[in-house]
Amino acid sequence: MTGTQPTTHDGAPVVVRRSARRRRTVAAFWENGTAVVAIPAHFSRAQETEWVRRMLEKLKVQGDRQAKSGRRPATDAALAGHAAELSARYLGGRAAPTSVRWVSNQNSRWGSATPADGSIRLSDKLRPMPQWVIDYVLLHELAHLLVAGHNAAFWKLLEAYPETERAKAFLEGVSFATSRGLQADQAGREAEADGY
């Protein structure tokens, strides 16, 4: 595309890939926090502009639908894909982890990040919790890839996520309940049932 670099509705970068192999089909997908729109090489600039607009709207609708459905990323690959979407949506795609995975050996943390190698791990105790809580923890760890500590710059990165304060309160409640003998998954389910 000519002119300014296109972005998604929430500011993530967009790359247009023209392919001589592609004859009629157009595709859009997320890749490392960037929205990629693949089009046939023979498309005119006007066709490119129109199809980029259409496909970005399609990606937005898919993301909105997934958020509303409450589907949780079950596999490490799905979690990594979801992390890329969250990074694109809330961090401008700047946080690009090398790996994102569920782990069962984190007993005192909800998640952890290692900025040196770009890895993120989420406790499997999060799995039964609401998606907006999982998203907060994932964004928290993504932000640590950009800012190591919990300083003002770090918290500024999380301001864009509308559920930050609610999720922090939810997790504090679960931590309080587990310190009193409730299991984390049970406390999470009970808090969700109470309308958190």
Side-chain angles (χ1 to χ4, degrees), residues 11 51 65 108 140 179 188:
W51 277 102
R65 190 178 305 133
S108 61
H140 185 107
S179 73

Side-chain angles (χ1 to χ4, degrees), residues 5 17 21 54 56 66 76 108 124 135 149 171 177:
Q5 174 70 27
R17 291 191 185 147
R21 288 184 181 177
R54 285 186 193 182
L56 292 180
Q66 181 178 5
D76 290 348
S108 61
D124 62 2
D135 288 355
L171 291 170

Side-chain angles (χ1 to χ4, degrees), residues 45-59:
R45 292 292 175 201
Q47 287 174 305
E48 176 182 322
T49 300
E50 174 60 20
W51 277 102
V52 167
R53 183 193 64 74
R54 285 186 193 182
M55 297 311 282
L56 292 180
E57 182 58 30
K58 182 177 179 179
L59 283 177

